[in-house]
Amino acid sequence: MNLENATIITAMVTPFDENGAIDFAKLPQLVNHLLDNHTEGIILAGTTGESPTLTHDEEIELFNEVIRLVDGRVPIICGVGTNDTRDSVEFVKELSAIRGIDAGLAVVPYYNKPNQEGLYQHFKAIAEASDLPIILYNVPGRTVASLDVATSLRLAELDNIIAIKECAGLDALTELIEKAPKDFLVYTGEDSLAFATKALGGQGVISVASHIFGTEMYEMFQALDQEEVKKAASIQRQVLPKMNALFSVPSPAPVKAVLNHLGVSVGDLRLPLVSCTSEEKAKILSILDF
């Protein structure tokens, strides 16, 4: 399954039980909630899925179970990137053998701060390690290192690199949309830029807020596709403060708090992340009018 029709991809939270183990019994409700609210692709073991705290075996088990639950309804994208190129290469080779994984998401290496040539060679090695399509993930707010647009465009010429999740701002998104190959998909990783990215001609958003506002985001994109810009802009204005509330403390604490409040049980977080305090949760729910 390809991503050509996937405009709203949810970076899914990982549900945990009271002992901090992955709660596989909670996955069916979560997956169905996302699909019922217009999620058109699911990312597993990304930042929102608390990937730094998941073991290799946990990730494989999570991938296989969500593949089973989704049953081909939307593309499944799995986090494959680390700050060790060799480890990432071995992982993508392993995942390419799992039927039902449609792409891998490879984040910019963190902590070791490679230069642009190092970043290029890192992603090139991952892309050439298997036939699994690769999505670049540029998130300088978390990794410090950042893909220059020129490096992203250079990587976009490689056959197996099909898309980017770009979190370096509107200027970078605009240049990528203008200059990338026509079959290269440009997603924003910032919910607040979903409207602008789609309006500029990008593919859409890889989202956290779609856990809660998937239907509103879908209606906004539909309005843009139908050239109803005023309607789309109105939706954006109404939902933007609510999206921002989902990032008022380190993510995914707010979205997990809201999901639990709505009855979609996902549990708490793994250290070093902590759940919202009662005061933080009350403020978030007040802004969301829940």
Side-chain angles (χ1 to χ4, degrees):
M1 183 179 293
N2 59 44
L3 299 179
E4 291 179 1
N5 298 316
T7 61
I8 301 172
I9 297 175
T10 300
M12 194 181 85
V13 300
T14 302
F16 298 124
D17 65 20
E18 61 275 10
N19 297 314
I22 296 178
D23 195 333
F24 290 95
K26 292 174 179 173
L27 284 172
Q29 183 190 26
L30 175 59
V31 167
N32 287 329
H33 167 78
L34 295 179
L35 297 185
D36 288 345
N37 286 278
H38 300 285
T39 285
E40 299 164 342
I42 292 175
I43 287 179
L44 303 172
T47 306
T48 308
E50 300 178 65
S51 58
T53 71
L54 300 177
T55 68
H56 174 274
D57 290 345
E58 284 179 323
E59 289 183 339
I60 296 298
E61 190 174 3
L62 176 66
F63 298 165
N64 281 316
E65 182 60 14
V66 175
I67 289 167
R68 186 187 70 81
L69 291 169
V70 170
D71 193 25
R73 287 177 287 175
V74 297
I76 299 293
I77 302 150
C78 297
V80 301
T82 70
N83 62 342
D84 178 354
T85 304
R86 292 178 300 173
D87 182 61
S88 300
V89 164
E90 291 305 311
F91 197 34
V92 78
K93 286 179 180 178
E94 183 177 2
L95 296 190
S96 68
I98 299 177
R99 186 174 181 181
I101 296 177
D102 297 284
L105 180 74
V107 68
V108 165
Y110 38 88
Y111 186 73
N112 38 17
K113 296 180 69 174
N115 63 15
Q116 294 302 305
E117 184 60 24
L119 292 173
Y120 176 81
Q121 295 297 337
H122 171 80
F123 287 114
K124 182 174 182 286
I126 293 171
E128 292 179 348
S130 78
D131 59 359
L132 187 70
I134 297 298
I135 300 172
L136 308 173
Y137 180 16
N138 188 36
V139 56
R142 289 185 179 267
T143 63
V144 182
S146 181
L147 275 170
D148 290 348
V149 170
T151 305
S152 298
L153 293 172
R154 187 180 171 200
L155 287 164
E157 297 294 336
L158 300 179
D159 289 340
N160 215 31
I161 294 181
I162 63 166
I164 187 169
K165 177 184 178 183
E166 178 61 78
C167 300
L170 192 56
D171 287 355
L173 285 161
T174 301
E175 189 173 358
L176 284 166
I177 293 166
E178 177 65 21
K179 295 181 179 179
K182 297 305 178 186
D183 59 350
F184 184 77
L185 306 177
V186 179
Y187 292 92
T188 179
E190 302 286 349
D191 282 301
S192 62
L193 294 180
F195 171 86
T197 300
K198 183 70 169 171
L200 284 165
Q203 180 71 5
V205 61
I206 295 177
S207 174
V208 176
S210 54
H211 283 90
I212 313 300
F213 301 113
T215 295
E216 290 87 342
M217 297 170 80
Y218 173 79
E219 291 172 352
M220 180 174 71
F221 281 177
Q222 287 289 104
L224 283 171
D225 286 340
Q226 295 163 11
E227 299 184 355
E228 298 178 0
V229 177
K230 289 185 177 180
K231 178 180 178 181
S234 176
I235 296 171
Q236 165 75 357
R237 293 194 301 270
Q238 293 171 41
V239 81
L240 182 59
K242 299 178 181 182
M243 287 179 172
N244 289 340
L246 294 177
F247 300 94
S248 56
V249 299
S251 183
V255 73
K256 278 194 160 184
V258 176
L259 285 169
N260 287 326
H261 175 78
L262 295 175
V264 182
S265 179
V266 293
D268 293 322
L269 290 84
R270 281 182 174 174
L271 290 170
L273 296 177
V274 294
S275 299
C276 294
T277 65
S278 57
E279 292 81 7
E280 289 167 342
K281 179 179 176 180
K283 183 176 181 180
I284 292 164
L285 293 175
S286 175
I287 294 171
L288 271 55
D289 197 24
F290 286 167

